Amino acid sequence: MHPNDSLKNWHEGQGLWADLDSKDWNNWKWQLGNRIVKLEQLEERMTLSEDERVGCLFAKDKLALAITPYFFNLIDREDPNCPIRRQVIPRSGETQISPEEMLDPVGEENTKPVDGIVHRYPDRVLFLVTDRCAAYCRYCTRSRLVSNAQDYNFHPEFENGLKYIRRHSEIRDVLLSGGDPLLLSDRKLDYLLGELCKIPHLEFIRIGSRIPVFLPQRITPELGEILKKHGPIWMSIHVNHPRECTHALREACERLTYSGVPIGNQSVLLRGVNDDTTTMRSLVHRLLMMRVRPYYLYQCDLITGSAHLRADPRKGIEIIRNLRGHTTGYSIPQFVIDAPGGGGKIPINPEYIKEVTDEAIIMRNFSGDEYTYPLNPSEAAKKPKNPKELEPVWA
Ligand SMILES: *Cc1c(COP(=O)(O)O)cnc(C)c1O
């Protein structure tokens, strides 16, 4: 094993809170109640740059500042460019809005049949069930409503959303998001998942959450039981940097997978955080060690005040090119751009096809060598499928 990928290297411990009773430390409610939410609280613990001070003062009108003690410990306080720090400590760049930036960069407001539901794709919906998170990512695509710093006044209404999903039998997949759905109480989650499970046309449920990364203490045995009871549930977590792969995250992922929840990861390509192959390779390797399958790598949305965090999409293409074929196929996420204005996720791939002629596909492999695959449409490929064959045997 490469030394950087060894489990022994993974961060852990109570750090600045070393004197605290570990019972409190491991209690997710203690972590939430003791979040760092004010400039003064940050400055008691570290020296901020002027750039960060300006960012923190602005945060209350844009997207609240909140960092769990657990995640704060992962910051290298001596390093002004620490990749963890860049994700959660505001900077003055948030006050600067460039002309291409938007409050609703992926056009969710235009595909919102009822409050809290985004129905963009034919067979699945996004269901926003809360506007709160355990900590706030400074590049949040939903900063217009998340944390309510902009007075959007989003009041998640389970019943309207549930009603919409019940009425639309074309929906087979519901993706719970927000805000962070795992911030809901066990009782509310149990109710919501239970109601969703009763809907006959739903085939499975997905949860998008960064709680395992910000607040792994929330993944309790009781939560595991609730998820197990209402499956099949898939989860997308959001890890951006290998340093976020701690023992605590690994244990949280283990509990989730043992509760029958397969986990994917969605990363956002961020300037100075993970926009290089070495960092990304280390991240995806660690994810596989935690049984987490890299799912998407997102180009950062054009959210207002994010220019300082957005990486060049060509870097993303280069990273994928440097991974594909060079390492485990399971570890390679799909790089996507969520089209500005509402076109949905568009896959962005390095080009392997050199030419398609009437006779052949001419392509390059991962090391740049050229290969040809002849085209020869066979009769079998044209034969229509019997639709019965496509139904699951238990249907
Ligand atoms: C991302 C997204 C989904 C899920 O897309 P998948 O490609 O199926 O993961 C669904 N609805 C909306 C509005 C989304 O943004």
Side-chain angles (χ1 to χ4, degrees):
M1 222 179 286
H2 187 276
N4 280 342
D5 292 338
S6 137
L7 296 182
K8 289 196 199 82
N9 244 358
W10 296 16
H11 285 59
E12 63 180 333
Q14 294 182 199
L16 277 181
W17 289 264
D19 294 337
L20 184 81
D21 190 327
S22 67
K23 260 222 205 91
D24 285 336
W25 181 259
N26 292 319
N27 178 340
W28 66 280
K29 295 196 170 147
W30 182 90
Q31 289 279 341
L32 275 184
N34 288 276
R35 288 185 300 180
I36 291 160
V37 294
K38 289 198 188 113
L39 174 62
E40 305 83 75
Q41 293 171 318
L42 263 183
E43 291 199 301
E44 274 167 27
R45 294 176 172 89
M46 66 193 288
T47 310
L48 295 182
S49 67
E50 192 47 35
D51 188 22
E52 289 168 325
R53 296 194 76 250
V54 171
C56 288
L57 291 169
F58 183 67
K60 65 176 188 322
D61 298 319
K62 196 223 171 199
L63 172 71
L65 161 71
I67 311 170
T68 54
Y70 161 82
F71 198 73
F72 184 80
N73 261 344
L74 303 185
I75 293 175
D76 178 350
R77 298 189 303 282
E78 307 304 318
D79 176 7
N81 295 316
C82 165
I84 308 296
R85 178 173 184 155
R86 289 178 67 79
Q87 293 182 57
V88 289
I89 297 186
R91 299 210 173 198
S92 66
E94 291 185 22
T95 67
Q96 290 150 22
I97 300 173
S98 33
E100 71 278 13
E101 292 178 341
M102 295 167 263
L103 273 172
D104 176 22
V106 298
E108 293 181 332
E109 298 292 331
N110 310 325
T111 42
K112 197 183 74 173
V114 299
D115 268 352
I117 295 272
V118 182
H119 195 170
R120 164 169 308 138
Y121 298 106
D123 65 343
R124 57 207 189 280
V125 292
L126 191 64
F127 189 179
L128 308 180
V129 294
T130 169
D131 64 344
R132 299 299 142 120
C133 290
Y136 294 108
C137 310
R138 302 321 303 173
Y139 48 88
C140 176
T141 197
R142 265 179 227 124
S143 49
R144 68 182 185 283
L145 65 90
V146 161
S147 93
N148 202 33
Q150 301 183 19
D151 292 328
Y152 181 99
N153 270 321
F154 173 59
H155 297 289
E157 250 274 29
F158 291 177
E159 296 315 318
N160 283 339
L162 286 168
K163 210 183 283 171
Y164 182 84
I165 298 165
R166 285 190 198 105
R167 279 204 198 130
H168 287 259
S169 58
E170 73 276 20
I171 301 171
R172 37 171 291 286
D173 163 11
V174 169
L175 169 46
L176 302 182
S177 184
D180 201 312
L182 294 187
L183 217 47
L184 298 179
S185 66
D186 283 1
R187 190 181 54 79
K188 280 194 179 163
L189 264 179
D190 193 26
Y191 167 76
L192 183 61
L193 295 171
E195 287 304 303
L196 288 169
C197 279
K198 285 186 207 155
I199 303 176
H201 49 269
L202 279 193
E203 296 176 5
F204 73 110
I205 300 164
R206 289 197 264 181
I207 298 176
S209 173
R210 206 179 186 187
I211 288 267
V213 178
F214 283 147
L215 185 66
Q217 298 79 8
R218 169 70 183 100
I219 313 302
T220 57
E222 294 76 23
L223 179 65
E225 287 307 313
I226 291 171
L227 299 175
K228 198 191 273 180
K229 186 166 87 183
H230 298 299
I233 295 174
W234 289 58
M235 193 172 291
S236 288
I237 63 172
H238 173 24
V239 190
N240 283 331
H241 190 277
R243 284 232 309 267
E244 293 159 47
C245 298
T246 60
H247 282 289
L249 175 61
R250 195 163 66 101
E251 279 162 23
C253 290
E254 189 153 285
R255 178 159 285 147
L256 291 169
T257 31
Y258 288 5
S259 304
V261 180
I263 312 174
N265 183 60
Q266 317 196 90
S267 294
V268 178
L269 187 70
L270 295 171
R271 199 202 306 176
V273 173
N274 58 11
D275 59 339
D276 64 276
T277 301
T278 312
T279 303
M280 206 49 98
R281 186 193 295 117
S282 168
L283 171 64
V284 295
H285 285 173
R286 288 185 184 195
L287 289 170
L288 288 189
M289 292 159 85
M290 301 190 296
R291 301 182 175 85
V292 176
R293 166 81 156 98
Y295 179 45
Y296 282 137
L297 170 61
Y298 288 95
Q299 175 61 24
C300 186
D301 292 329
L302 295 169
I303 187 70
T304 49
S306 64
H308 62 298
L309 280 170
R310 294 202 308 270
D312 187 322
R314 288 170 294 189
K315 285 245 175 103
I317 297 173
E318 181 192 312
I319 290 169
I320 300 298
R321 187 191 294 286
N322 291 338
L323 295 178
R324 173 62 67 195
H326 298 276
T327 190
T328 314
Y330 268 136
S331 72
I332 300 157
Q334 173 66 58
F335 182 42
V336 291
I337 297 184
D338 210 336
K345 298 175 185 75
I346 302 178
I348 305 298
N349 298 313
E351 193 55 84
Y352 293 99
I353 298 177
K354 193 182 161 210
E355 204 187 344
V356 184
T357 68
D358 287 343
E359 286 84 40
I361 296 185
I362 301 144
M363 57 209 165
R364 286 196 191 86
N365 76 348
F366 71 103
S367 37
D369 305 324
E370 211 172 287
Y371 293 86
T372 300
Y373 189 91
L375 294 178
N376 176 21
S378 80
E379 284 310 304
K382 285 188 201 150
K383 206 176 105 190
K385 277 229 184 326
N386 173 3
K388 276 271 170 235
E389 272 175 29
L390 301 176
E391 283 174 12
V393 288
W394 58 84

